[in-house]
């Protein structure tokens, strides 16, 4: 069993990005600027935003955070979006999800200028992704593709089972993995809450992407020997340890790992490459490589 070191892979990409930033500084160009909008005070979202800000610093990007209260109205948020769309200083920005229930997420995402939509969530970027046209790829699925590629994991002709059909992870991951490309070319089964014979499908997976949002959902009896497991989940689960909790993924790591050829740990697997994909998109936005 080989552990996929997401941190090491992310660090390698980060140093490539930092080199690019140095070249931009030498050429007296503006350094890339990533902004983030956070509505409310969801602790997980605050942690993600802090990690993104730290990553920006590491590669030499400028970053800024727009913190809005939980009570912010849809119209107020749309005003912030309009401001960011027109701020030439900002190359790309994200609106951290989930948004409070009184705000229509799709309306907000659709208001983001696709040229600055470094999350790749705007319908124009999603459409371009499906058509394999230049676009900003969503960060988590792009990070998964980076992990597979940089770990030299063969994907062509493999059966890839994706658990979870979210717009952020499962659906785009299924699209990227089934693309006609040497880096993909998987046969993909996208599973969700209404899937029948889930266990049998998982047992036939050569590559299993767990993005189901349930702690330790995937158990040893659900995977075959030699499987590649990519665990997208991250959960804080109470236990009897000194801290009172542990961080776990969607996979019961201790019992599944011995059966795997490759597996991502949680934390330190998918998370770091997700953040790096956002940096990659921001660099592309700054260099106007997509639009
Ligand atoms: N919430 C969970 N994942 C993401 C992400 O990739 N982008 C944004 N904006 N919000 C998220």
């Amino acid at each position: 069993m080989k552990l996929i070191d997401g941190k090491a892979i992310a660090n390698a990409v980060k140093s490539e990005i930092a080199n690019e930033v140095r070249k931009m500084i030498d050429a007296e160009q503006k350094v890339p600027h990533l902004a983030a909008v956070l509505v409310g005070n969801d602790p997980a979202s605050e942690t993600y935003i802090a990690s993104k800000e730290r990553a920006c610093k590491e590669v030499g990007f400028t970053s800024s955070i727009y913190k809005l209260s939980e009570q912010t109205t849809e119209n107020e948020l749309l005003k912030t979006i309009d401001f960011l769309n027109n701020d030439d200083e900002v190359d790309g920005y994200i609106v951290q999800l989930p948004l409070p229930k009184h705000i229509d997420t799709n309306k907000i995402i659709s208001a983001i200028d696709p040229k600055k939509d470094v999350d790749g969530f705007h319908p124009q970027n999603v459409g371009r992704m499906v058509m394999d046209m230049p676009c900003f790829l969503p960060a988590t699925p792009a990070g998964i593709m980076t992990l597979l590629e940089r770990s030299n994991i063969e994907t062509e002709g493999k059966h890839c089972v994706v658990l979870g059909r979210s717009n952020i992870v499962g659906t785009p991951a299924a699209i990227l993995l089934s693309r006609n490309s040497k880096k993909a070319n998987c046969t993909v089964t996208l599973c969700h809450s209404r899937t029948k014979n889930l266990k049998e499908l998982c047992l036939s997976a050569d590559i299993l992407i767990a993005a189901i949002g349930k702690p330790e959902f995937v158990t040893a009896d659900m995977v075959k020997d030699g499987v590649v497991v990519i665990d997208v989940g991250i959960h804080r689960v109470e236990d009897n340890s000194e801290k009172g909790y542990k961080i776990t993924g969607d996979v019961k790591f201790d019992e599944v790992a011995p059966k795997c050829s490759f597996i991502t740990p949680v934390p330190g697997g998918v998370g770091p490459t997700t953040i790096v994909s956002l940096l990659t998109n921001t660099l592309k936005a700054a260099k106007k490589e997509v639009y």
Side-chain angles (χ1 to χ4, degrees):
M1 184 272 290
K2 276 195 186 152
L3 210 54
I4 299 177
D5 189 344
K7 247 188 180 166
I9 293 171
N11 283 339
V13 183
K14 269 193 249 178
S15 66
E16 292 164 19
I17 295 173
N19 272 339
E20 288 297 312
V21 175
R22 261 177 244 122
K23 281 188 210 160
M24 293 171 96
I25 293 170
D26 288 346
E28 296 186 355
Q29 290 165 357
K30 182 181 99 56
V31 298
H33 182 161
L34 172 67
V37 182
L38 176 62
V39 185
N41 28 33
D42 173 55
S45 291
E46 288 190 344
T47 308
Y48 294 144
I49 294 269
S51 307
K52 289 165 188 172
E53 196 180 27
R54 206 174 321 120
C56 280
K57 274 213 180 78
E58 281 170 24
V59 298
F61 286 7
T62 307
S63 66
S64 50
I65 301 180
Y66 289 76
K67 277 193 179 176
L68 307 177
S69 83
E70 182 80 25
Q71 286 76 37
T72 302
T73 64
E74 198 172 87
N75 267 337
E76 284 165 343
L77 180 53
L78 285 168
K79 274 186 196 149
T80 302
I81 286 178
D82 186 54
F83 173 80
L84 287 167
N85 284 346
N86 291 296
D87 182 357
D88 290 339
E89 170 57 31
V90 171
D91 298 293
Y93 69 95
I94 64 157
V95 178
Q96 187 65 32
L97 304 180
L99 289 168
K101 287 197 173 57
H102 64 275
I103 294 176
D104 180 345
T105 301
N106 283 343
K107 191 169 174 183
I108 298 302
I109 288 171
S110 301
I112 298 172
D113 181 343
K115 298 183 195 67
K116 294 191 175 189
D117 169 39
V118 285
D119 252 336
F121 291 169
H122 187 283
Q124 189 166 322
N125 280 312
V126 177
R128 282 172 168 250
M129 173 189 66
V130 173
M131 296 171 79
D132 208 351
M133 288 166 65
C135 66
F136 295 114
L137 292 178
T140 304
I144 293 170
M145 300 309 287
T146 303
L147 288 175
L148 293 171
E149 193 187 347
R150 296 207 180 209
S151 305
N152 295 313
I153 293 168
E154 184 67 43
T155 54
E156 272 198 301
K158 302 289 183 191
H159 182 208
C160 179
V161 172
V162 179
L163 299 181
R165 58 179 158 187
S166 71
N167 287 345
I168 294 179
V169 187
T171 296
I175 289 164
L176 295 184
L177 285 156
S178 57
R179 264 186 178 172
N180 184 357
S181 155
K182 260 207 88 65
K183 297 174 187 174
N185 276 334
C186 288
T187 303
V188 177
T189 304
L190 181 56
C191 298
H192 48 76
S193 54
R194 302 290 189 277
T195 298
K196 289 180 180 156
N197 59 348
L198 185 79
K199 184 174 167 185
E200 286 67 32
L201 288 167
C202 289
L203 275 166
S204 75
D206 302 308
I207 301 171
L208 184 66
I209 314 284
I212 205 163
K214 290 185 182 164
E216 302 188 330
F217 179 85
V218 177
T219 46
D221 59 324
M222 293 169 73
V223 299
K224 69 178 179 188
D225 281 324
V227 66
V228 175
V229 170
I230 307 291
D231 189 349
V232 181
I234 183 151
H235 313 277
R236 191 189 266 219
V237 177
E238 283 178 23
D239 69 1
N240 299 323
S241 70
E242 227 172 83
K243 279 191 294 188
Y245 68 88
K246 64 171 180 176
I247 301 294
T248 182
D250 287 357
V251 176
K252 206 162 192 179
F253 185 89
D254 290 348
E255 62 174 60
V256 172
K259 296 184 85 174
C260 297
S261 55
F262 290 88
I263 185 167
T264 57
V266 177
V270 173
T273 48
T274 294
I275 293 177
V276 151
S277 301
L278 189 62
L279 300 178
T280 301
N281 281 347
T282 306
L283 182 64
K284 283 186 180 168
K287 291 175 138 192
K288 309 228 178 318
E289 283 179 0
V290 176
Y291 291 96

